[in-house]
Amino acid sequence: MASVQFGELPFLSENNVIVSCVYSPDGMSLALALSNGDIKIYSTTSWESVRTLNGDGTRVQSVAYSPKGDQIVSGSLDATARVLDVESGTCIHELSGHGGDVYCVAFSPRGDTVASGDEDGTVRVWDVVTGDCRFILIGHTGSIWGVAYSPKGDRIASGGSDSIVQLWSVETGECLRTLTGHDARILGISYSPKEERLASVSDDTTVRIWDVEAGYCCRVLTGHSQGIFTVAYSLQGDVIASAGTDNTVRIWDAETGVCRQVLIGHSGTVQCVVFSPRGDRIACGSDDSTVRLWDVGSEGTRQFSTTNRSQVLSVKYSPNGDQIASSSADQSIRLMDAETGVSRCVLAGHTNRINTIAYSPRGDLIASGSYDGTVKLWDVETGACRRTLDGDMDWVMIVEYSPRGDQIASGDDIGTLKLWDATTGACQHTLTGHTAGVISIVYSPTGNQIASSCKVGTVRVWNAESGVCLHILSGHDDWVRSIAYSLQGDLLVSASDDCTVRVWDVETGECRQIFIGHTNYVRIVEYSPQGSQVATGSDESIRVWDIGTRECLHTLTSYTGSLTYFEYSSNGNQIVSGTTEGQIRLWDVTSGQCQAVVESSSGSIESIAWSTTSDANCFVTGCSDGSVRMWQVVKDDDAWRVRLRWIPASVELVVTDTIIQDVQGLSRLNNQLLKQRGATGEPFDRLRDMGKKVARMASVMSTLNQPPAVVVQESSTDNLASVVQESSTDNLAMVVQESCTDNLASDQTEQPKQPAE
């Protein structure tokens, strides 16, 4: 069975490209314009085709319902628009006169006129009763790709290949205002319900929100990686949907510009997106010949964006500990409530994977570095991108805030280190000297120095104010992957692929100590919170060293897989480690003993962060499967346990080699959805594993707020319990819950069983 996303409904499959789609005013029908010239109408109750309005074989580029729902207007590549009777399919008027292909059409709110835009750059306004042309609106210098009436019907907005939006008076045909700002052709426009705002989308990959009366751009929404074809406001005007050639649909908060969700599933350009009249569903049509339907009013879909779509590369706690940020290979940053795991917002704007993030000392901003060669500064409260720092950089590998928060340091993959003014975004210094990629950057405790390491084995110490190189620390003969200042700032420790750890005197630049003992690349080095110890990690072990005596106090081994990450707890008493096999181990720093083991079954552990509050006993992990998980460390009867506290809501459920059959109570839509994903057997009543392992989920829900209407329980030798929960809406919510017991607890409303040692 292929993947199912929360809020997703069964898709509609055609044999032709879906060029345009539109809901009827009552929401009972959905009309599709197909590339073969047909207009197909589906019932939104059964999602079956109920009528086809046959064309002459010429591609229909755009369709729109009349306010009463009894007529449809279509624009075609034969330079005509047609007004059709929905019931009979009869052509009421053929609107001729355009000098080129008709790319867009719209009905007026009163239904008495139709606007159409064409290849020759004109907009024509037609009388629906007589079929006569009332006005020809001339002003654009390129093809018209988008046309929309204002909700009151007294204005028409048009956008075209000349990259401008023009606002016209329906009464006089006069151009009232011209909106400029896009850098490429405009392909879609949409009025807000209260008509004070207008959204436009373009091949320049942006969505622009305009103040219609003042004529200025209020906000620019970035996140799509390619041109955007279509845009729509929700019925309430609080949400905007956009889609295009990157095959995704993005859901935006119309007020803040924050990307709430990214709907993924199409395998071709998304040509059209439309909200249902109630605003609870979205239909989007694509070059892949499918229409995908999303329940955007369901709890599942509201939770959809809380989990990363791909490998989590970094997780960080905010300075006050109330928020967690995770960055991902899917070009997004997700902010989550540390207590509940609920998603606060998604920060979208980078066009490549985000390798590194850092909170400002006050916690009000996040800096992110991406393989797109930019650093972005984000407002944590609103989710808006404050600044983009672009200074001829290659892949940005690391970003760090200074302790005072007034400066940001970034390092890229070709060895360039840049210092930025955190307030203005200006580049203060470009520090040259590294001849290979910068891997690690760290500020001294006072912030007056910066240390950086690279792929050729050198560490450089810089004056943070002047940018002058103070020392070149040479001695390693392979990559220096990690560096750390002592609490007093007088020592710097470096870990290298040459299997050694070196301790440097910052004042003189001399090497004081060399720790030898690792037999593989040393990837991580960290001072203990008290500053008396240093922990170093390689593939095969973690070693804890006494800085004063140079003695190796403990060697922590026996984990499954290669070490990927470790971190001291806030009080310095424990270390938590993660491996390529998803194993988490809790270590006692004093004794060197392993206190707890969790087989998290979540792919490689890519990042770990302990809570930043001194009395907290929680940490988070970011994993290669896209999940972020909160774990709680507890002590019961002198035994330590690591328990799963929360996992954000599921983005994707992937089940392979599995038949689902004989489950009672599934709705017809859920039945249809499962059949489309390759599940077989009906009616459904139990999950039957075919003897092969059920694939891992991208993430699972940690709690169920309502008792499930249908619960199917089956023991598994792989310690995986599966639960199918029937939602009160027509979308399917599926939960796979990990457990270390052999059976699933019968009461599904309680907190899930937690992994333990």
Side-chain angles (χ1 to χ4, degrees), residues 116-148:
S116 56
D118 68 10
E119 185 181 18
D120 69 1
T122 64
V123 177
R124 292 177 180 253
V125 181
W126 308 86
D127 187 297
V128 171
V129 176
T130 65
D132 296 333
C133 181
R134 289 189 182 181
F135 294 112
I136 301 177
L137 310 180
I138 301 174
H140 285 283
T141 58
S143 301
I144 309 298
W145 293 95
V147 64

Side-chain angles (χ1 to χ4, degrees), residues 536-599:
T536 57
S538 67
D539 283 351
E540 86 290 346
S541 67
I542 300 171
R543 290 176 179 258
V544 181
W545 310 82
D546 186 291
I547 288 292
T549 66
R550 307 182 186 183
E551 178 188 0
C552 179
L553 302 175
H554 304 294
T555 301
L556 316 180
T557 58
S558 301
Y559 39 74
T560 303
S562 297
L563 180 75
T564 54
Y565 210 94
F566 76 80
E567 185 164 291
Y568 273 99
S569 62
S570 301
N571 57 22
N573 295 330
Q574 294 168 314
I575 289 175
V576 64
S577 64
T579 72
T580 53
E581 299 300 316
Q583 186 186 78
I584 298 169
R585 282 184 177 250
L586 184 70
W587 307 88
D588 180 76
V589 172
T590 303
S591 67
Q593 296 299 307
C594 180
Q595 296 176 321
V597 180
V598 176
E599 305 290 347

Side-chain angles (χ1 to χ4, degrees), residues 487-510:
L487 297 185
Q488 294 76 25
D490 57 335
L491 298 177
L492 186 71
V493 62
S494 58
S496 171
D497 281 3
D498 64 8
C499 305
T500 69
V501 178
R502 290 177 178 256
V503 181
W504 308 87
D505 187 301
V506 173
E507 183 67 27
T508 65
E510 296 178 353

Side-chain angles (χ1 to χ4, degrees), residues 158-159 163-165 179 182 186-191 198-202 204 206-210 217 219 221 228 230-231 233 240 242:
S158 58
S163 306
I164 64 172
V165 176
L179 310 178
H182 281 294
I186 295 170
L187 296 172
I189 52 179
S190 178
Y191 268 101
L198 181 79
S200 60
V201 294
S202 166
D204 65 9
T206 67
V207 181
R208 286 182 176 262
I209 312 299
W210 307 89
C217 181
R219 196 174 295 278
L221 313 182
I228 311 174
T230 178
V231 64
Y233 265 97
I240 296 170
S242 61

Side-chain angles (χ1 to χ4, degrees), residues 173-190:
E174 175 189 3
C175 180
L176 304 174
R177 194 176 296 280
T178 299
L179 310 178
T180 61
H182 281 294
D183 297 327
R185 63 176 180 166
I186 295 170
L187 296 172
I189 52 179
S190 178

